[in-house]
Amino acid sequence: MQKEYERLRQCVEFIQKQVDFKPKAAVVLGSGLGSFAEAIDVCAVLPYCDIPGFPTSSVPGHAGRFVFGYVGSLPVVVMQGRVHYYEGYSIQDVVLPIRVMKLLGADTLLLTNAAGGLNTEYEGGNLMLITDQIASFVPSVLRGENIEELGERFPDMSEIYDRTLGNLVKECADELGIALKEGVYIQLPGPNYESPQEVKMCRLLGADAVGMSTACEAVAANHMGMKICGISCITNLACGLTDRPLSHQEVQEVSGRVTDTFQKLVRTVLERLG
Ligand code: HPA
Protein backbone atom coordinates (compact mmCIF):
# COMPACT_ATOMS: atom_id res chain seq x y z
CA MET A 1 0.00 0.00 0.00
CA GLN A 2 1.19 3.53 -0.74
CA LYS A 3 2.69 5.36 2.27
CA GLU A 4 0.28 8.31 2.31
CA TYR A 5 -2.76 6.07 1.95
CA GLU A 6 -1.45 3.84 4.71
CA ARG A 7 -1.10 6.90 6.96
CA LEU A 8 -4.69 7.89 6.17
CA ARG A 9 -5.93 4.37 6.94
CA GLN A 10 -4.07 4.38 10.25
CA CYS A 11 -5.67 7.70 11.27
CA VAL A 12 -9.10 6.41 10.25
CA GLU A 13 -8.66 3.16 12.17
CA PHE A 14 -7.46 5.02 15.26
CA ILE A 15 -10.45 7.38 15.16
CA GLN A 16 -12.90 4.52 14.60
CA LYS A 17 -11.49 2.72 17.65
CA GLN A 18 -12.05 5.83 19.79
CA VAL A 19 -15.36 6.96 18.34
CA ASP A 20 -18.19 4.75 17.12
CA PHE A 21 -19.80 7.25 14.75
CA LYS A 22 -20.33 7.41 10.98
CA PRO A 23 -20.69 10.99 9.73
CA LYS A 24 -22.57 11.78 6.53
CA ALA A 25 -21.35 15.34 6.28
CA ALA A 26 -18.17 17.14 7.28
CA VAL A 27 -17.86 20.77 8.34
CA VAL A 28 -14.67 22.82 8.64
CA LEU A 29 -14.92 25.84 10.90
CA GLY A 30 -12.70 28.80 10.06
CA SER A 31 -11.09 31.51 12.17
CA GLY A 32 -13.41 32.76 14.90
CA LEU A 33 -16.26 30.50 13.74
CA GLY A 34 -15.34 27.59 15.98
CA SER A 35 -18.16 28.14 18.43
CA PHE A 36 -20.58 26.57 15.94
CA ALA A 37 -19.53 23.25 17.44
CA GLU A 38 -21.60 24.28 20.47
CA ALA A 39 -24.73 24.22 18.32
CA ILE A 40 -24.53 20.50 17.63
CA ASP A 41 -25.79 17.58 19.61
CA VAL A 42 -22.37 16.28 20.57
CA CYS A 43 -21.65 12.52 20.69
CA ALA A 44 -17.86 12.63 20.95
CA VAL A 45 -14.87 14.98 20.85
CA LEU A 46 -11.39 14.03 19.73
CA PRO A 47 -8.46 16.51 19.87
CA TYR A 48 -6.20 16.29 16.80
CA CYS A 49 -3.18 15.95 19.09
CA ASP A 50 -4.52 12.59 20.34
CA ILE A 51 -4.40 11.12 16.81
CA PRO A 52 -0.96 9.71 15.93
CA GLY A 53 0.51 11.43 12.88
CA PHE A 54 -2.17 14.12 12.78
CA PRO A 55 -1.20 17.76 12.09
CA THR A 56 -2.14 20.16 14.89
CA SER A 57 -2.78 23.89 14.61
CA SER A 58 -0.80 26.61 16.35
CA VAL A 59 -3.05 29.55 15.47
CA PRO A 60 -5.06 31.38 18.14
CA GLY A 61 -8.79 30.96 17.38
CA HIS A 62 -8.28 27.47 15.92
CA ALA A 63 -9.05 24.98 18.71
CA GLY A 64 -7.95 21.81 16.92
CA ARG A 65 -10.36 19.00 17.51
CA PHE A 66 -13.01 16.88 15.83
CA VAL A 67 -16.53 17.13 17.19
CA PHE A 68 -18.87 14.29 16.24
CA GLY A 69 -22.60 14.70 16.61
CA TYR A 70 -25.98 15.51 15.08
CA VAL A 71 -27.45 18.61 13.53
CA GLY A 72 -31.13 17.68 13.39
CA SER A 73 -31.02 14.13 12.08
CA LEU A 74 -27.78 14.57 10.14
CA PRO A 75 -24.66 12.89 11.56
CA VAL A 76 -21.75 15.29 11.13
CA VAL A 77 -18.08 15.52 11.90
CA VAL A 78 -16.98 19.08 12.58
CA MET A 79 -13.40 20.29 12.43
CA GLN A 80 -13.09 22.92 15.11
CA GLY A 81 -9.92 24.49 13.76
CA ARG A 82 -7.83 23.55 10.76
CA VAL A 83 -4.15 23.56 9.92
CA HIS A 84 -2.76 25.94 7.34
CA TYR A 85 0.00 25.68 4.78
CA TYR A 86 1.73 28.72 6.33
CA GLU A 87 2.24 26.83 9.60
CA GLY A 88 4.92 24.87 7.77
CA TYR A 89 3.03 21.66 7.06
CA SER A 90 3.21 20.07 3.65
CA ILE A 91 0.12 20.66 1.55
CA GLN A 92 -0.66 16.92 1.88
CA ASP A 93 -0.63 17.30 5.68
CA VAL A 94 -2.97 20.27 5.41
CA VAL A 95 -5.62 18.21 3.59
CA LEU A 96 -5.12 14.99 5.56
CA PRO A 97 -8.11 15.74 7.85
CA ILE A 98 -10.37 16.28 4.81
CA ARG A 99 -9.33 12.92 3.40
CA VAL A 100 -9.81 11.25 6.76
CA MET A 101 -13.35 12.65 7.11
CA LYS A 102 -14.25 11.27 3.68
CA LEU A 103 -12.86 7.87 4.63
CA LEU A 104 -14.95 8.02 7.83
CA GLY A 105 -18.03 8.26 5.62
CA ALA A 106 -18.70 11.95 4.94
CA ASP A 107 -19.72 12.55 1.31
CA THR A 108 -20.66 16.19 1.74
CA LEU A 109 -18.26 18.90 2.85
CA LEU A 110 -19.08 22.37 4.10
CA LEU A 111 -16.00 24.60 4.19
CA THR A 112 -15.97 27.91 6.02
CA ASN A 113 -13.31 30.55 6.45
CA ALA A 114 -12.57 34.14 7.27
CA ALA A 115 -11.52 36.06 4.19
CA GLY A 116 -10.58 39.52 3.02
CA GLY A 117 -12.95 41.21 0.60
CA LEU A 118 -11.49 42.11 -2.80
CA ASN A 119 -14.81 43.14 -4.27
CA THR A 120 -15.31 46.73 -3.14
CA GLU A 121 -19.06 46.17 -2.88
CA TYR A 122 -18.34 43.92 0.10
CA GLU A 123 -17.95 45.04 3.67
CA GLY A 124 -16.76 43.49 6.91
CA GLY A 125 -19.39 41.10 8.26
CA ASN A 126 -20.75 39.95 4.87
CA LEU A 127 -21.12 36.24 4.16
CA MET A 128 -20.13 35.01 0.70
CA LEU A 129 -21.10 31.74 -0.96
CA ILE A 130 -18.04 30.49 -2.84
CA THR A 131 -18.94 29.78 -6.47
CA ASP A 132 -15.46 28.94 -7.73
CA GLN A 133 -11.86 29.29 -6.65
CA ILE A 134 -8.25 29.96 -7.60
CA ALA A 135 -5.80 27.55 -5.94
CA SER A 136 -2.89 28.15 -8.32
CA PHE A 137 -0.76 30.04 -5.77
CA VAL A 138 -0.33 27.06 -3.46
CA PRO A 139 1.08 23.66 -4.50
CA SER A 140 -1.43 21.12 -5.72
CA VAL A 141 -2.45 18.62 -3.04
CA LEU A 142 -2.47 16.04 -5.83
CA ARG A 143 1.22 16.45 -6.66
CA GLY A 144 3.16 13.19 -6.47
CA GLU A 145 2.00 9.66 -7.02
CA ASN A 146 -1.78 9.55 -7.33
CA ILE A 147 -3.63 7.78 -4.50
CA GLU A 148 -5.87 5.64 -6.69
CA GLU A 149 -8.02 4.63 -3.71
CA LEU A 150 -9.08 8.27 -3.36
CA GLY A 151 -9.58 9.38 -6.94
CA GLU A 152 -8.23 9.67 -10.44
CA ARG A 153 -4.95 11.20 -11.62
CA PHE A 154 -6.47 14.07 -13.58
CA PRO A 155 -9.74 15.02 -11.89
CA ASP A 156 -12.19 17.36 -13.57
CA MET A 157 -12.66 20.67 -11.72
CA SER A 158 -15.52 22.20 -13.71
CA GLU A 159 -17.89 22.30 -10.72
CA ILE A 160 -15.83 22.20 -7.55
CA TYR A 161 -18.61 23.80 -5.53
CA ASP A 162 -21.82 21.83 -5.96
CA ARG A 163 -24.55 23.96 -7.54
CA THR A 164 -27.41 22.16 -5.82
CA LEU A 165 -25.79 22.67 -2.42
CA GLY A 166 -25.12 26.31 -3.32
CA ASN A 167 -28.79 26.78 -4.18
CA LEU A 168 -29.76 25.25 -0.85
CA VAL A 169 -27.47 27.71 0.98
CA LYS A 170 -29.04 30.59 -0.96
CA GLU A 171 -32.57 29.39 -0.14
CA CYS A 172 -31.74 29.05 3.55
CA ALA A 173 -30.11 32.50 3.63
CA ASP A 174 -33.19 33.96 1.96
CA GLU A 175 -35.54 32.38 4.48
CA LEU A 176 -33.42 33.58 7.39
CA GLY A 177 -33.18 37.09 5.95
CA ILE A 178 -29.40 36.86 5.64
CA ALA A 179 -27.87 38.86 2.80
CA LEU A 180 -25.51 36.47 1.02
CA LYS A 181 -22.90 37.52 -1.54
CA GLU A 182 -21.61 35.10 -4.16
CA GLY A 183 -18.10 35.09 -5.47
CA VAL A 184 -14.75 33.56 -6.29
CA TYR A 185 -12.27 32.70 -3.50
CA ILE A 186 -8.53 32.85 -4.03
CA GLN A 187 -6.08 31.12 -1.70
CA LEU A 188 -2.67 32.70 -1.15
CA PRO A 189 -0.03 30.95 0.96
CA GLY A 190 0.13 33.55 3.77
CA PRO A 191 0.80 34.09 6.64
CA ASN A 192 1.39 37.72 5.71
CA TYR A 193 -1.62 39.58 4.47
CA GLU A 194 -1.44 40.80 0.88
CA SER A 195 0.28 43.94 -0.34
CA PRO A 196 -2.01 46.45 -2.05
CA GLN A 197 -0.51 45.43 -5.41
CA GLU A 198 -1.20 41.74 -4.70
CA VAL A 199 -4.76 42.69 -3.86
CA LYS A 200 -5.03 44.41 -7.26
CA MET A 201 -3.61 41.27 -8.89
CA CYS A 202 -6.18 39.03 -7.18
CA ARG A 203 -8.96 41.33 -8.28
CA LEU A 204 -7.67 41.33 -11.88
CA LEU A 205 -7.74 37.53 -11.77
CA GLY A 206 -11.44 37.67 -10.98
CA ALA A 207 -11.42 36.87 -7.28
CA ASP A 208 -13.87 38.43 -4.83
CA ALA A 209 -12.35 37.20 -1.58
CA VAL A 210 -8.85 36.23 -0.48
CA GLY A 211 -7.76 33.87 2.26
CA MET A 212 -5.15 31.34 3.34
CA SER A 213 -7.11 28.09 3.38
CA THR A 214 -10.05 26.27 1.81
CA ALA A 215 -9.12 26.06 -1.89
CA CYS A 216 -6.54 23.30 -1.34
CA GLU A 217 -9.07 21.45 0.83
CA ALA A 218 -11.66 21.74 -1.93
CA VAL A 219 -9.19 20.30 -4.46
CA ALA A 220 -8.61 17.27 -2.21
CA ALA A 221 -12.34 16.83 -1.59
CA ASN A 222 -13.20 17.22 -5.27
CA HIS A 223 -10.60 14.57 -6.10
CA MET A 224 -12.49 12.18 -3.81
CA GLY A 225 -15.87 13.05 -5.32
CA MET A 226 -17.25 14.89 -2.28
CA LYS A 227 -20.10 17.37 -2.73
CA ILE A 228 -18.62 20.67 -1.62
CA CYS A 229 -20.05 23.93 -0.41
CA GLY A 230 -18.02 26.92 0.81
CA ILE A 231 -18.96 30.02 2.76
CA SER A 232 -16.57 32.87 3.53
CA CYS A 233 -17.05 35.36 6.30
CA ILE A 234 -15.70 38.61 4.88
CA THR A 235 -13.98 40.03 7.93
CA ASN A 236 -12.37 43.04 6.28
CA LEU A 237 -11.68 44.72 3.00
CA ALA A 238 -8.27 43.54 1.77
CA CYS A 239 -5.15 45.67 2.21
CA GLY A 240 -5.05 48.83 0.16
CA LEU A 241 -8.83 49.00 -0.16
CA THR A 242 -9.08 50.87 3.12
CA ASP A 243 -6.71 53.34 4.75
CA ARG A 244 -6.15 51.14 7.81
CA PRO A 245 -3.60 48.40 8.42
CA LEU A 246 -5.03 44.91 8.98
CA SER A 247 -4.63 42.69 12.03
CA HIS A 248 -5.55 39.13 12.99
CA GLN A 249 -7.34 40.65 15.98
CA GLU A 250 -9.68 42.59 13.65
CA VAL A 251 -10.32 39.39 11.66
CA GLN A 252 -11.23 37.52 14.85
CA GLU A 253 -13.40 40.35 16.18
CA VAL A 254 -15.47 40.61 13.02
CA SER A 255 -15.88 36.85 12.58
CA GLY A 256 -16.88 36.71 16.25
CA ARG A 257 -19.53 39.35 15.61
CA VAL A 258 -20.98 37.38 12.69
CA THR A 259 -20.85 34.01 14.47
CA ASP A 260 -24.55 33.94 15.41
CA THR A 261 -25.77 34.68 11.88
CA PHE A 262 -23.25 32.30 10.41
CA GLN A 263 -24.22 29.54 12.86
CA LYS A 264 -27.89 29.96 12.01
CA LEU A 265 -27.17 29.60 8.31
CA VAL A 266 -24.91 26.56 8.69
CA ARG A 267 -27.30 24.86 11.10
CA THR A 268 -30.28 25.42 8.77
CA VAL A 269 -28.36 24.09 5.75
CA LEU A 270 -27.29 20.97 7.64
CA GLU A 271 -30.79 20.36 9.02
CA ARG A 272 -32.15 20.45 5.46
CA LEU A 273 -29.54 17.94 4.37
CA GLY A 274 -30.63 15.55 7.14
N1 HPA B 1 -6.31 38.33 3.50
C1 HPA B 1 -6.04 37.02 3.64
N2 HPA B 1 -6.65 36.26 4.53
C2 HPA B 1 -7.59 36.83 5.30
C3 HPA B 1 -7.91 38.19 5.20
C4 HPA B 1 -7.23 38.98 4.24
O1 HPA B 1 -7.47 40.20 4.08
N3 HPA B 1 -8.88 38.43 6.11
C5 HPA B 1 -9.14 37.24 6.73
N4 HPA B 1 -8.36 36.27 6.24
Side-chain angles (χ1 to χ4, degrees), residues 172-188:
C172 293
D174 241 20
E175 284 171 29
L176 294 166
I178 298 169
L180 185 69
K181 310 284 185 191
E182 286 179 56
V184 173
Y185 177 90
I186 185 167
Q187 178 177 4
L188 294 190

Side-chain angles (χ1 to χ4, degrees), residues 114-117 185 192-194 210-212 233 235-239 246 251:
Y185 177 90
N192 52 290
Y193 292 115
E194 302 69 38
V210 57
M212 306 174 194
C233 171
T235 50
N236 56 280
L237 275 186
C239 291
L246 179 56
V251 168

Side-chain angles (χ1 to χ4, degrees), residues 2-18:
Q2 210 180 316
K3 228 166 113 200
E4 183 63 13
Y5 188 63
E6 198 180 313
R7 181 161 82 119
L8 286 167
R9 292 283 356 151
Q10 280 169 0
C11 288
V12 170
E13 277 160 31
F14 178 87
I15 295 168
Q16 283 171 334
K17 264 192 214 139
Q18 308 285 317

Side-chain angles (χ1 to χ4, degrees), residues 65-134:
R65 56 189 201 161
F66 281 127
V67 178
F68 298 87
Y70 287 87
V71 177
S73 61
L74 184 72
V76 297
V77 52
V78 176
M79 282 182 71
Q80 201 174 16
R82 53 155 63 91
V83 295
H84 300 82
Y85 184 56
Y86 62 72
E87 291 176 74
Y89 291 105
S90 72
I91 203 85
Q92 279 80 13
D93 275 349
V94 172
V95 301
L96 177 129
I98 304 291
R99 288 173 162 165
V100 163
M101 293 192 293
K102 167 73 163 92
L103 294 175
L104 288 171
D107 288 323
T108 299
L109 175 65
L110 174 50
L111 295 168
T112 71
N113 59 48
L118 298 163
N119 185 327
T120 48
E121 286 175 14
Y122 292 2
E123 56 186 54
N126 285 159
L127 295 179
M128 183 192 90
L129 176 70
I130 304 176
T131 53
D132 201 355
Q133 68 177 31
I134 299 169

Side-chain angles (χ1 to χ4, degrees), residues 147-199:
I147 308 175
E148 292 295 327
E149 290 88 347
L150 301 184
E152 60 184 303
R153 172 77 291 187
F154 300 108
D156 171 59
M157 290 270 161
S158 51
E159 193 184 316
I160 301 175
Y161 294 92
D162 186 78
R163 234 171 259 143
T164 310
L165 266 179
N167 286 337
L168 175 65
V169 175
K170 285 195 269 183
E171 263 171 48
C172 293
D174 241 20
E175 284 171 29
L176 294 166
I178 298 169
L180 185 69
K181 310 284 185 191
E182 286 179 56
V184 173
Y185 177 90
I186 185 167
Q187 178 177 4
L188 294 190
N192 52 290
Y193 292 115
E194 302 69 38
S195 70
Q197 195 58 37
E198 284 166 337
V199 166

